[in-house]
Amino acid sequence: MTDNKPALIWALFFGGIIIVFTPFIGIVFAYIWKGKADAGTRAAFEKQIKVFWRCAQAWLVAVVLMGVALAMDDTPVGSGIPLLFSIGILVGVVGQFWFYGRSAFGLAKSLRGGQPKMATA
């Protein structure tokens, strides 16, 4: 019997499309289960943790860009969205699409029984 915990975490990540808080549940499980896992499963958990935090970094950059755009905006009301704000939205959307795409591919690989590549010393 194979361990389905990495597939569950990928599913929770991907489920964020419908229910926004499920990726946060997935990252908590990844951190909890990582300490008790064998080497192959631990590598899968570490990859999932890295994917989650890279998406979080993209959102942080997006929010900072949008905040700076709003703070610096001196155009009259109704004159359009500042370019920096639009770039922030684009960064957030691209980061989110990357996260869901990576989660979908990770889930598919986990369900097929694919094991992460392990470095040997």
Side-chain angles (χ1 to χ4, degrees), residues 25-114:
I25 295 170
I27 195 67
V28 169
F29 283 148
Y31 275 113
I32 291 171
W33 292 336
K34 182 177 90 165
K36 301 174 187 172
D38 63 349
T41 308
R42 184 177 301 120
F45 290 144
E46 289 171 357
K47 186 172 193 173
Q48 291 166 332
I49 291 168
K50 189 162 77 170
V51 165
F52 178 86
W53 287 114
R54 283 194 179 159
C55 182
Q57 288 172 342
W59 268 105
L60 180 64
V61 168
V63 168
V64 167
L65 286 172
M66 290 186 284
V68 168
L70 290 176
M72 293 174 45
D73 187 23
D74 59 354
T75 58
V77 176
S79 63
I81 298 174
L83 179 64
L84 195 58
F85 191 84
S86 299
I87 293 171
I89 290 174
L90 182 65
V91 168
V93 168
V94 168
Q96 204 64 30
F97 274 120
W98 175 81
F99 178 73
Y100 290 133
R102 184 64 196 102
S103 298
F105 285 118
L107 178 60
K109 186 174 181 179
S110 291
L111 292 177
R112 283 192 314 248

